[in-house]
Amino acid sequence: MSKALEAPPFAVIPGTDVHRVLTGREGAVTALVEAAYLAHDAGATVNPPSYFLRFPDRPGARIIALPAAVSGESAVDGVKWISSFPANVAHGLPRASAVLILNDPVTGYPFACLESSIISATRTAASAALAADRLTRDRPRPRRVGFVGAGLIARYVHTYLAGTGLRFDRLGVHDLSRSSADGFAGHLRDLVGDTPVEVHERVEDLIRASDLIVFATVAGTPHVHDPDLFAHAPVVLHLSLRDLAPDVLLNAVNIVDDVEHCLKADTSPHLVEQRTGSRDFLAGTLADVMTGRVRLPADRPVVFSPFGLGVLDLVLGRYVHDELARSGGLTEVDGFFHDLSRHG
């Protein structure tokens, strides 16, 4: 006789607990993200298209649903629900907020709700650090890093670049808001000591001065148009996806996290596909690089454009949940599932 199924206990995991579990574990988290990319490449995940909820009366705002599933030893299903309201920043509130729901793959019942802006920023930063490592193994390691956009994502990316062993002789910052640029530069100076940190008034100057460039903006359309800015063959972590004009990508080696996901929603790679009618400008995915199927030249700019896979959020959410369960730190909601008798 088969074992009777039971609804799992339901836990609510606040940001304080998420932050406590993930802080200081940059190496372990990046390894989890690397394994998730390889699992996705091997077909061990389900990652359907993201769904964008947009608002006619608030055209700059959106809420995105990222459903996904991961099989294997730590199998989990779920969805991230993340909002982007850029107007928040002017009022001192972060642009993005998010929750992550984890579902039991046996019963389908949700077993946790996690604050997920930290998970989202962490998986983005870990993905960026992984790409910075993997995309520079056949060329001199970057010694000058520049950040275009000076928000929370840039801060997390720097934490992960440093936490996974990359070291820089010079750091640069550019943001349309001078106060944001100065604030992030001050944060970096507190961390890096004597290493020079320069605020660039012009994005063009930052690009020319950097071997590794991190785009982490809220740009909705391309604002960098000149391919010659990248003639020194930097590696570009194009995290915000819409900063670079098609001509820039057509003169670069292009790597994405997932082809189908990245070529939509008017991302820069999507604009290239619309212009050319082809995907030939893509060299492959980060998993292709990790597995050796794609080798990168050292004399051309390399642009990594990750759309952001929901499976990464699930893997980190499951990790946080399991670490808290192991340590006895889960906050469970008694009676969350009520009236479980089919016939009363």
Side-chain angles (χ1 to χ4, degrees):
M1 185 175 180
S2 61
K3 181 181 178 181
L5 295 179
E6 296 181 354
F10 185 80
V12 175
I13 302 176
T16 50
D17 288 343
V18 174
H19 186 266
R20 177 164 52 85
V21 170
L22 296 179
T23 298
R25 300 186 184 184
E26 290 84 9
V29 169
T30 302
L32 285 172
V33 167
E34 181 174 17
Y37 274 133
L38 293 174
H40 182 66
D41 181 64
T45 67
V46 179
N47 206 108
S50 304
Y51 180 82
F52 286 71
L53 176 62
R54 299 187 184 276
F55 313 97
D57 59 332
R58 292 158 285 163
R62 65 183 187 269
I63 307 178
I64 311 172
L66 288 81
V70 181
S71 60
E73 184 178 347
S74 298
V76 63
D77 309 331
V79 62
K80 179 172 75 170
W81 183 240
I82 182 167
S83 68
S84 175
F85 279 54
N88 288 352
V89 175
H91 301 281
L93 194 65
R95 170 187 61 85
S97 59
V99 293
L100 177 67
I101 302 295
L102 303 181
N103 291 74
D104 172 32
V106 175
T107 65
Y109 274 71
F111 63 88
C113 176
L114 300 87
E115 194 287 326
S116 197
S117 65
I118 295 172
I119 289 174
S120 187
T122 297
R123 63 87 148 145
T124 300
S127 169
L130 177 65
D133 172 39
R134 290 293 189 160
L135 300 179
T136 62
R137 290 193 175 184
D138 292 331
R139 61 172 65 202
R141 288 292 199 177
R143 303 301 302 176
R144 304 171 300 166
V145 61
F147 294 90
V148 183
L152 181 141
I153 296 297
R155 174 162 60 86
Y156 270 74
V157 170
H158 177 264
T159 296
Y160 267 76
L161 292 175
T164 52
L166 287 175
R167 297 291 179 265
F168 302 102
D169 299 327
R170 183 174 296 275
L171 296 92
V173 178
H174 169 79
D175 196 285
L176 293 178
S177 166
R178 181 59 192 240
S179 63
S180 292
D182 288 341
F184 184 43
H187 167 76
L188 293 175
R189 291 186 184 107
D190 290 340
L191 294 175
V192 301
D194 294 334
T195 303
V197 179
E198 182 177 358
V199 175
H200 294 268
E201 293 286 349
R202 294 172 3 110
V203 66
E204 294 85 355
D205 297 334
L206 179 140
I207 292 170
R208 291 191 180 98
S210 304
D211 307 313
L212 178 68
I213 304 159
V214 180
F215 281 90
T217 74
V218 294
T221 56
H223 58 97
V224 177
H225 297 269
D226 186 359
D228 290 341
L229 293 172
F230 304 87
H232 57 299
V235 170
V236 181
L237 305 179
H238 187 207
L239 307 182
S240 36
L241 289 173
R242 296 172 179 84
D243 301 87
L244 304 179
D247 285 339
V248 174
L249 297 192
L250 288 169
N251 284 273
V253 178
N254 291 281
I255 302 295
V256 297
D257 54 355
D258 181 281
V259 174
E260 295 298 332
H261 283 77
C262 201
L263 294 180
K264 62 181 59 175
D266 289 332
T267 63
S268 295
H270 189 204
L271 296 181
V272 176
E273 183 190 36
Q274 291 175 51
R275 177 197 284 192
T276 65
S278 170
R279 298 180 173 184
D280 291 345
F281 70 97
L282 295 178
T285 66
L286 186 58
D288 288 330
V289 176
M290 291 191 289
T291 57
R293 295 192 297 263
V294 168
R295 299 295 297 270
L296 302 173
D299 59 349
R300 293 184 63 196
V302 175
V303 178
F304 176 53
S305 300
F307 195 79
L309 300 178
V311 295
L312 303 184
D313 299 277
L314 285 191
V315 166
L316 288 197
R318 179 88 208 208
Y319 174 73
V320 170
H321 173 275
D322 292 353
E323 285 294 296
L324 289 170
R326 182 184 57 79
S327 65
L330 276 180
T331 302
E332 295 182 351
V333 181
D334 291 337
F336 184 83
F337 297 111
H338 182 63
D339 197 5
L340 296 175
S341 174
R342 187 177 181 191
H343 300 295

